[in-house]
């Protein structure tokens, strides 16, 4: 099922493998390097057509300052935070509750409810575009941050519930039986037994959901119109339309947009690793 490791005696095969990895990595990093390099260029460089050569001048401070002072990027950035943070919290809370119930309690229709959560992940967003937009128009939520928050919480919860249900189901039954024997309520068992043990899952899920929502472009375009509501993805497209030739500003804006998911990963990495080292029984 998995490829066999290259034996240490096959020196040339190992060298070719390392070379291939380096080449693929460089090809993958080339666009990112080009964007970073362009964000350092001055306007004169860009207007002169020097897009791939070494910059003749460094305009990094001016470019990153102008992104926030001469464009609505600060507003877009704030909108993305307003949309993403409540959405992530809502998805984590709902998926943990749903995953706990579906994994630990057997009731009529249990698998049907679980199948509904899972089945929603297979619906293409393009199919739901018109019904979702019409619903938001009827609710008078179109072109609001609330529309995007409601949508992301609703449609990300299906994947997150599948994730949390399987993770909680793998926990030892003895822990939950002991909690019930001590008189703990189902909610107390969730808070004091399940959640401390699923911190690795919550950390990984938070990173994934944050990245999904922050990088969403399709629904940002479908459900928003005005600049006062648009997140960074839709706003960056507007920036490209407004600053057609200012590729240094567009590149600087792109780097700004890419920073929060990276920061999110490094902030949650410590909790993720700490959670992995936890156990139900300490020796």
């Amino acid at each position: 099922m998995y490829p066999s490791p290259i034996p240490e005696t096959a020196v040339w095969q190992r060298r070719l493998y390392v070379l291939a990895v380096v080449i693929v990595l460089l090809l993958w990093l080339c666009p990112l390097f080009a964007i970073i390099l362009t964000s350092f260029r001055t306007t004169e460089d860009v207007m002169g057509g020097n897009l791939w050569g070494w910059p003749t001048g460094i305009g990094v401070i001016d470019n990153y300052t102008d992104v926030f002072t001469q464009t609505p990027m600060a507003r877009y950035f704030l909108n993305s935070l307003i949309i993403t943070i409540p959405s992530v919290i809502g998805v984590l809370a709902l998926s943990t509750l749903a995953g706990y119930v579906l994994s630990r309690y057997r009731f009529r229709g249990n698998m049907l409810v679980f199948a509904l959560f899972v089945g929603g992940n297979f619906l293409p967003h393009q199919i739901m575009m018109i019904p979702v937009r019409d619903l938001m128009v009827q609710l008078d939520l179109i072109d609001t941050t609330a529309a995007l928050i409601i949508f992301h919480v609703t449609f990300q919860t299906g994947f997150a519930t599948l994730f949390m249900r399987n993770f909680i189901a793998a926990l030892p039954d003895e822990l939950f039986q002991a909690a019930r024997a001590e008189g703990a309520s189902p909610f107390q068992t969730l808070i004091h037994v399940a959640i401390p043990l699923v911190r690795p899952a919550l950390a990984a899920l938070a990173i994934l959901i944050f990245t999904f929502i922050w990088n969403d472009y399709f629904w940002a375009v479908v459900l928003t119109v005005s600049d006062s509501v648009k997140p960074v993805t839709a706003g960056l497209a507007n920036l490209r339309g407004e600053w057609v030739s200012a590729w240094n500003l567009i590149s600087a804006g792109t780097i700004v947009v890419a920073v929060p998911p990276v920061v999110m990963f490094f902030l949650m990495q410590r909790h993720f690793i700490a959670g992995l080292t936890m156990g139900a029984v300490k020796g």
Side-chain angles (χ1 to χ4, degrees):
M1 183 176 180
Y2 296 101
S4 302
I6 302 175
E8 295 184 4
T9 54
V11 178
W12 282 107
Q13 291 183 22
R14 296 178 69 88
R15 289 179 179 176
L16 289 174
Y17 175 78
V18 172
L19 179 62
V21 170
V22 171
I23 292 174
V24 171
L25 181 61
L26 290 176
L27 291 175
W28 185 77
L29 291 176
C30 269
L32 179 61
F33 177 74
I35 293 172
I36 295 174
L37 192 62
T38 304
S39 70
F40 289 177
R41 299 183 188 279
T42 61
T43 303
E44 290 74 16
D45 251 1
V46 175
M47 296 300 293
N50 182 20
L51 298 178
W52 294 101
W54 194 256
T56 58
I58 302 298
V60 57
I61 296 178
D62 292 337
N63 291 339
Y64 283 90
T65 302
D66 290 346
V67 164
F68 288 100
T69 58
Q70 297 186 16
T71 74
M73 182 57 70
R75 179 72 253 181
Y76 299 149
F77 198 91
L78 179 60
N79 290 340
S80 283
L81 291 177
I82 293 173
I83 293 167
T84 304
I85 294 176
S87 298
V88 171
I89 295 173
V91 170
L92 291 179
L94 290 176
S95 62
T96 301
L97 291 171
Y100 176 69
V101 171
L102 291 173
S103 63
R104 289 295 160 184
Y105 295 92
R106 294 293 178 264
F107 55 89
R108 183 176 296 179
N110 179 291
M111 292 306 298
L112 176 61
V113 174
F114 181 57
L116 291 176
F117 277 105
V118 176
N121 297 318
F122 296 99
L123 291 176
H125 287 186
Q126 292 82 355
I127 293 178
M128 300 181 290
M129 179 179 67
I130 295 177
V132 169
R133 183 176 176 83
D134 289 346
L135 176 63
M136 292 303 170
V137 170
Q138 293 173 8
L139 296 176
D140 198 24
L141 292 175
I142 195 69
D143 198 29
T144 64
T145 56
L148 286 170
I149 292 173
I150 292 172
F151 173 82
H152 288 307
V153 170
T154 302
F155 286 93
Q156 296 293 343
T157 298
F159 164 75
T161 298
L162 169 65
F163 191 91
M164 293 304 300
R165 186 259 186 191
N166 293 338
F167 205 98
I168 295 175
L171 298 177
D173 292 332
E174 292 77 9
L175 294 174
F176 297 93
Q177 294 173 4
R180 285 195 293 269
E182 293 292 333
S185 66
F187 187 74
Q188 290 174 327
T189 304
L190 170 66
I191 297 298
H192 298 291
V193 177
I195 289 182
L197 295 176
V198 298
R199 284 202 307 176
L202 289 173
L205 194 58
I207 295 170
L208 290 173
I209 298 301
F210 184 95
T211 304
F212 292 159
I213 297 174
W214 183 272
N215 291 334
D216 172 68
Y217 174 74
F218 182 80
W219 291 107
V221 173
V222 171
L223 298 178
T224 63
V225 178
S226 59
D227 286 346
S228 61
V229 178
K230 287 182 178 179
V232 288
T233 48
L236 191 60
N238 281 4
L239 189 67
R240 182 173 179 268
E242 182 179 357
W243 302 87
V244 176
S245 59
W247 293 108
N248 50 337
L249 294 185
I250 297 172
S251 298
T254 302
I255 298 300
V256 169
V257 171
V259 165
V262 177
V263 173
M264 175 69 175
F265 171 77
F266 284 106
L267 288 177
M268 297 299 293
Q269 186 182 32
R270 179 174 62 85
H271 300 286
F272 182 77
I273 296 174
L276 287 177
T277 62
M278 294 178 60
V281 179
K282 297 183 179 180

